[in-house]
């Protein structure tokens, strides 16, 4: 049985094959305190109640050690307990001769109909989220400008009440957008996880059919011949076995779906793995490769 590195590493390689805009991270843009997806540029606007908001706590830097004192300090002398001598090991049979194959996971994903389905569906949801966010931000700016224009005709208490109301509205919208973004990300994990698990099996089958007992990422290999590259063959077989994947509906929280018991969960998969033994998987692509 061929052995490969960790399953989590392959999922990382699978995710890298997608556009960075597919699963935007939830984050605060600039200093305005509003949630803005990384992939969607948005007009900057001041916080609607910036002058009332409490200042953010300032992280104090750790005190720097005196450079001369650190340079003059001798390294500590630590105890070195004795250790036993390693015994000689009896001769054993050498490993089999290596038959190498190479694969580009990103190349497989570009040809995968299931991967294209995930990118199309979840990309549409991401775009809808960004558009809704832009509309909300425009509404916040309009309310803020209206409040500023009416400030002279309002009392201090009225201004503070309106500002607190707007701030509460913004904070609620932040939570809603972050939750929607989380659901999109978790739907992507559910979808890509199906591709990843099937891809592991297909790579094993194709490599075994060619008598290969070592498969490397093509990004790790400086030179190889055409007969060693199994990328296209894996993609063809992956599309036959897994032409599409299950993607949770847009209004379905994947976590709630898992709790409902209607779908298998990662806990179920862990129990199956413990019963059947470890599942061999392909190594991840080198860092920075896509």
């Amino acid at each position: 049985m061929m052995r490969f590195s960790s399953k989590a590493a392959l999922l990382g390689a699978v995710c890298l094959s997608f556009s960075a805009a597919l699963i935007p991270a939830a984050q605060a843009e600039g200093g305005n305190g509003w949630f803005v997806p990384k992939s969607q540029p948005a007009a900057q606007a001041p916080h609607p109640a910036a002058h009332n908001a409490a200042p953010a706590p300032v992280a104090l830097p750790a005190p720097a050690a005196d450079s001369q004192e650190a340079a003059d300090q001798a390294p500590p002398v630590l105890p070195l307990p004795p250790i036993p001598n390693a015994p000689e090991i009896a001769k054993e049979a050498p490993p089999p001769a290596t038959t190498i194959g190479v694969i580009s996971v990103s190349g497989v994903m570009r040809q995968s109909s299931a991967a294209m389905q995930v990118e199309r569906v979840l990309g549409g949801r991401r775009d809808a989220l960004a558009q809704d966010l832009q509309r909300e931000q425009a509404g916040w700016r309009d309310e803020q400008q209206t409040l500023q224009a009416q400030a002279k005709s309002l009392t201090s208490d009225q201004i503070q009440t309106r500002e607190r109301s707007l701030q509460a509205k913004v904070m609620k919208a932040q939570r809603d957008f972050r939750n929607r973004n989380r659901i999109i990300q978790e739907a992507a994990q559910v979808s890509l996880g199906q591709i990843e698990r099937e891809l592991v099996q297909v790579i094993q089958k194709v490599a075994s059919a060619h008598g290969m007992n070592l498969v490397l990422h093509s990004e790790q290999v400086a030179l190889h011949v055409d007969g060693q590259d199994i990328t296209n063959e894996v993609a063809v077989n992956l599309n036959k076995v897994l032409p599409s994947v299950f993607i949770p509906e847009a209004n379905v929280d994947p976590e709630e779906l898992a709790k409902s018991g209607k779908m298998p969960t990662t806990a179920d998969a862990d129990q199956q793995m413990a019963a059947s033994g470890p599942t061999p998987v392909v190594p991840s692509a080198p860092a920075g490769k896509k």
Side-chain angles (χ1 to χ4, degrees), residues 7 65 91 96 111 119 125-126 129 135 145 149 153 155 157 177 187 195 204-205 215 259 279:
K7 177 186 290 187
K91 294 290 184 179
Q111 300 178 58
E119 186 168 10
R125 295 180 190 177
R126 175 213 63 211
L129 174 63
R135 282 193 293 269
Q145 291 170 1
S153 61
T155 65
D157 290 342
F177 282 120
I195 300 174
Q204 284 185 276
K205 301 295 185 183
V215 178
K259 293 176 183 177
T279 302

Side-chain angles (χ1 to χ4, degrees), residues 115-129:
M116 289 185 281
Q117 172 201 8
V118 174
E119 186 168 10
R120 180 179 66 256
V121 173
L122 297 185
R125 295 180 190 177
R126 175 213 63 211
D127 293 341
L129 174 63

Side-chain angles (χ1 to χ4, degrees), residues 24-29 32-37 129 133 170-186:
Q27 63 174 13
E29 183 75 12
N32 57 20
W34 295 348
F35 160 70
V36 180
L129 174 63
L133 173 63
V170 170
M171 293 178 65
K172 180 180 182 301
Q174 286 179 351
R175 290 192 296 270
D176 291 343
F177 282 120
R178 287 193 178 100
N179 190 56
R180 287 177 60 185
N181 187 71
R182 174 188 61 80
I183 290 175
I184 293 174
Q185 292 189 49
E186 290 181 354

Side-chain angles (χ1 to χ4, degrees), residues 2-27:
M2 292 174 293
R3 301 189 64 83
F4 304 92
S5 63
S6 70
K7 177 186 290 187
L10 174 61
L11 182 55
V14 169
C15 293
L16 284 175
S17 67
F18 282 87
S19 164
L22 175 58
I23 312 171
Q27 63 174 13

Side-chain angles (χ1 to χ4, degrees), residues 57-83:
V58 178
L60 297 178
D66 184 83
S67 57
Q68 185 60 39
E69 180 181 351
D72 295 341
Q73 185 177 7
V77 177
L78 302 177
L80 295 176
I83 59 172

